[in-house]
Amino acid sequence: MNLFYFIAFLSILFALLVIFSKNPVHSVLYLILTFFTFTIHYVLLNAQFLAIVNFIVYMGAIMVLFLFVIMLLNLNKDTEPVKSSLVKFAGIIGGACLLVVIVAAVKALGKSDPVILKQADLGLVKNLGKILFGQFLLPFEVSSLLLFSAMVGAVLLATKDKPVKA
């Protein structure tokens, strides 16, 4: 139980560092650490499939995409537009709402009972594999063919046409 609270503290700390970091690249790196702590939470909850998907998809693919976008945008202080007072007021309202939610969560922390699973092997990858490759084998294979055809189409669209010499 102490490990859960430590990882929860790290999740909140890294999420706050994402928000308050001045450098956008550091912010994305803190977001990767936040997603890693979520992966640890999924493992503690015995949901290995969600942990693997979170690790591969969010930490791997999406965060690399965020880093590429930030590097391509070339964010400079000179090109940043001045925010209007309406945007600043909306930020204050959003921050106040976040503060209310955090206070309510802290108040409800001691009142909740722990969740006890009736099936201990509920989130195991073995059970998902049995269902996925048993009952849903045909839709799984059809979706893999659709993803493959989308990948081939993306490669064909991305390649430049070479002019035909007469």
Side-chain angles (χ1 to χ4, degrees):
M1 201 57 146
N2 291 333
L3 180 64
F4 172 79
Y5 288 121
F6 177 68
I7 300 299
F9 170 75
L10 287 179
S11 297
I12 293 169
L13 175 71
F14 290 140
L16 289 173
L17 286 173
V18 167
I19 295 169
F20 294 119
S21 179
K22 300 270 185 201
N23 190 343
V25 175
H26 291 164
S27 183
V28 169
L29 293 175
Y30 288 132
L31 190 58
I32 291 172
L33 289 173
T34 305
F35 280 142
F36 183 71
T37 58
F38 291 167
T39 301
I40 295 171
H41 279 295
Y42 288 139
V43 169
L44 290 176
L45 290 171
N46 201 20
Q48 287 96 2
F49 178 73
L50 287 176
I52 291 168
V53 167
N54 185 47
F55 188 80
I56 292 171
V57 173
Y58 286 106
M59 288 179 58
I62 293 177
M63 289 300 110
V64 168
L65 183 68
F66 277 5
L67 279 174
F68 281 142
V69 167
I70 287 173
M71 289 178 191
L72 287 174
L73 286 178
N74 193 13
L75 300 173
N76 292 329
K77 297 250 183 212
D78 302 333
T79 61
E80 187 176 336
V82 178
K83 294 180 177 55
S84 68
S85 59
L86 181 65
V87 172
K88 291 178 183 177
F89 183 70
I92 291 171
I93 296 293
C97 290
L98 176 67
L99 185 65
V100 167
V101 169
I102 289 174
V103 168
V106 169
K107 279 187 174 181
L109 189 63
K111 298 178 184 177
S112 63
D113 294 330
V115 176
I116 299 172
L117 296 175
K118 293 184 175 80
Q119 297 174 342
D121 58 350
L122 185 66
L124 296 178
V125 179
K126 178 176 137 183
N127 297 333
L128 178 70
K130 283 181 182 178
I131 292 173
L132 192 62
F133 292 115
Q135 183 180 358
F136 294 104
L137 181 64
L138 182 63
F140 180 74
E141 292 299 327
V142 169
S143 66
S144 68
L145 287 174
L146 285 172
L147 288 171
F148 178 70
S149 64
M151 183 179 65
V152 169
V155 168
L156 288 176
L157 287 174
T159 57
K160 295 183 179 181
D161 293 333
K162 294 181 181 177
V164 179
K165 294 181 181 178

